[in-house]
Amino acid sequence: MQEAIYSAVFGALSSEHRMNIISNNLANVSTTGYKTDSVTFKDVFVPFAHDYILDSKEHLRAKPLWPDADVIAKPRLAEHKTDFAQGSLRKTGDPLDLAIQGDGFFKILTPDGVRYTRNGHFNAMPNGQIVDSNGNPLLGTDGPIFLSGSGVVEIDPAGNVSEGGAQVGTIALVRFDNPRGVIKDGQNLYKLSEDFEANEMAVSPGMPEITTGSDGTPQTRISPVIQQGFLESSNVEIVTEMVRMIEVNRVFEAYQKIMRGSQDMDSSLIKSMGKSV
């Protein structure tokens, strides 16, 4: 009975964690550049006690005395993943609203060091410095970018920032060779993970790149570009998340019934043994 309760408890705790992930996805359905989180599970198998009991048989072809189940499963969280799929682009017309079409990140300088984001909603400080929604400077290839306020701001797909026809900087666009090495750090920012190695690579927006396909053959693709006057919407799919929420609720209820049933069986067994004594 105890094993059933333990398995149900582990399953219920895993479901609770999954529900928290789904709730956070739904809460950020309107967050610019937000990427969906998900979790995967694995079964941890532990041996039954009877694995170590010699099964007595009258002869080799006799049926086993004990059930065939050699192990029992206990669900565990295996991995927390972020889906970096492209979100749809929404036109705003603001010259400092930028969206990345393709994979890649803007580089942001925060008090804790360099961070990365897909949130392209930027503003100009009184001193002309371009900053994100939290006041952190947007980094260019030569450091932070400053505007003088002397003319119309134009940003081409390659990230070149011009003001009144004169170029004032180039936005640094980067991506990583291992997406698992990039994790969320709050405030719609990402940082490098300590558990997975990831190397930052500079991107030349709009330029052709030679990559290796799954079959090992070289393939040509166009690197991501920057779209001025657009913002990238969240890639959360509301219907999918709602279906997952209903599924998790039902699974959690099932685990509750298992725990309640096991407890009732234990109570009945104790009472019956007490009467016999």
Side-chain angles (χ1 to χ4, degrees), residues 88-99:
S88 61
L89 301 190
R90 174 169 50 89
K91 186 175 183 179
T92 65
D94 189 318
L96 291 183
D97 279 347
L98 307 174

Side-chain angles (χ1 to χ4, degrees), residues 139 166 182 264:
L139 289 178
V182 185
D264 292 343

Side-chain angles (χ1 to χ4, degrees), residues 7-8 10-11 14 40-46 71-79 255:
S7 294
F10 289 128
S14 300
T40 58
F41 296 87
K42 64 179 179 181
D43 280 335
V44 176
F45 296 98
V46 295
V71 294
I72 57 174
K74 293 182 178 180
R76 292 285 198 282
L77 295 173
E79 189 177 6
Y255 284 131

Side-chain angles (χ1 to χ4, degrees), residues 42-63:
K42 64 179 179 181
D43 280 335
V44 176
F45 296 98
V46 295
F48 259 161
H50 73 258
D51 289 348
Y52 306 105
I53 299 176
L54 292 177
D55 194 0
S56 58
K57 297 180 182 179
E58 294 181 357
H59 52 83
L60 291 177
R61 294 184 178 179
K63 292 183 179 180

Side-chain angles (χ1 to χ4, degrees), residues 211-219:
T211 59
T212 303
S214 57
D215 57 355
T217 59
Q219 298 178 348

Side-chain angles (χ1 to χ4, degrees), residues 101-104 173-176 201-213 217-225:
Q101 194 166 16
D103 56 344
L173 200 62
V174 298
R175 65 182 175 202
F176 301 90
M201 301 182 296
V203 175
S204 299
M207 299 299 292
E209 293 181 64
I210 305 298
T211 59
T212 303
T217 59
Q219 298 178 348
T220 303
R221 70 171 185 175
I222 302 300
S223 59
V225 296

Side-chain angles (χ1 to χ4, degrees), residues 11-263:
L13 291 174
S14 300
S15 297
E16 181 185 10
H17 186 79
R18 189 182 177 198
M19 179 63 82
N20 292 336
I21 296 289
I22 294 172
S23 301
N24 189 57
N25 287 338
L26 290 173
N28 286 282
V29 70
S30 301
T31 302
T32 301
Y34 178 82
K35 299 302 178 187
T36 305
D37 287 325
S38 63
V39 291
T40 58
F41 296 87
K42 64 179 179 181
D43 280 335
V44 176
F45 296 98
V46 295
F48 259 161
H50 73 258
D51 289 348
Y52 306 105
I53 299 176
L54 292 177
D55 194 0
S56 58
K57 297 180 182 179
E58 294 181 357
H59 52 83
L60 291 177
R61 294 184 178 179
K63 292 183 179 180
L65 180 62
W66 299 95
D68 289 335
D70 295 327
V71 294
I72 57 174
K74 293 182 178 180
R76 292 285 198 282
L77 295 173
E79 189 177 6
H80 184 161
K81 299 191 298 184
T82 300
D83 179 8
F84 289 104
Q86 175 80 50
S88 61
L89 301 190
R90 174 169 50 89
K91 186 175 183 179
T92 65
D94 189 318
L96 291 183
D97 279 347
L98 307 174
I100 300 174
Q101 194 166 16
D103 56 344
F105 295 88
F106 297 110
K107 291 183 69 173
I108 304 296
L109 182 60
T110 74
D112 297 324
V114 175
R115 295 292 185 268
Y116 309 90
T117 186
R118 296 277 297 191
N119 179 9
H121 181 57
F122 298 108
N123 300 289
M125 297 289 284
N127 64 354
Q129 188 175 45
I130 301 177
V131 298
D132 68 0
S133 304
N134 303 310
N136 301 312
L138 169 67
L139 289 178
T141 54
D142 297 320
I145 301 174
F146 289 85
L147 302 175
S148 62
S150 60
V152 177
V153 177
E154 295 181 347
I155 301 174
D156 66 16
N160 297 312
V161 183
S162 302
E163 190 175 21
Q167 185 171 342
V168 297
T170 301
I171 296 172
L173 200 62
V174 298
R175 65 182 175 202
F176 301 90
D177 56 355
N178 179 15
R180 298 175 68 186
V182 185
I183 59 175
K184 293 185 175 180
D185 191 35
Q187 298 183 329
N188 220 353
L189 299 175
Y190 295 84
K191 67 178 182 179
L192 296 180
S193 168
E194 297 179 354
D195 299 327
F196 298 96
E197 183 178 356
N199 297 311
E200 177 186 310
M201 301 182 296
V203 175
S204 299
M207 299 299 292
E209 293 181 64
I210 305 298
T211 59
T212 303
S214 57
D215 57 355
T217 59
Q219 298 178 348
T220 303
R221 70 171 185 175
I222 302 300
S223 59
V225 296
I226 295 175
Q227 297 287 343
Q228 185 183 22
F230 288 84
L231 289 176
E232 181 185 7
S233 300
S234 164
N235 68 351
V236 175
E237 296 181 4
I238 298 178
V239 175
T240 301
E241 296 300 322
M242 292 300 293
V243 170
R244 288 174 178 167
M245 179 175 284
I246 294 172
E247 176 193 344
V248 172
N249 264 328
R250 290 178 176 174
V251 170
F252 191 86
E253 288 175 358
Y255 284 131
Q256 280 184 312
K257 291 179 180 177
I258 292 174
M259 286 186 280
R260 194 177 299 120
S262 298
Q263 187 178 14

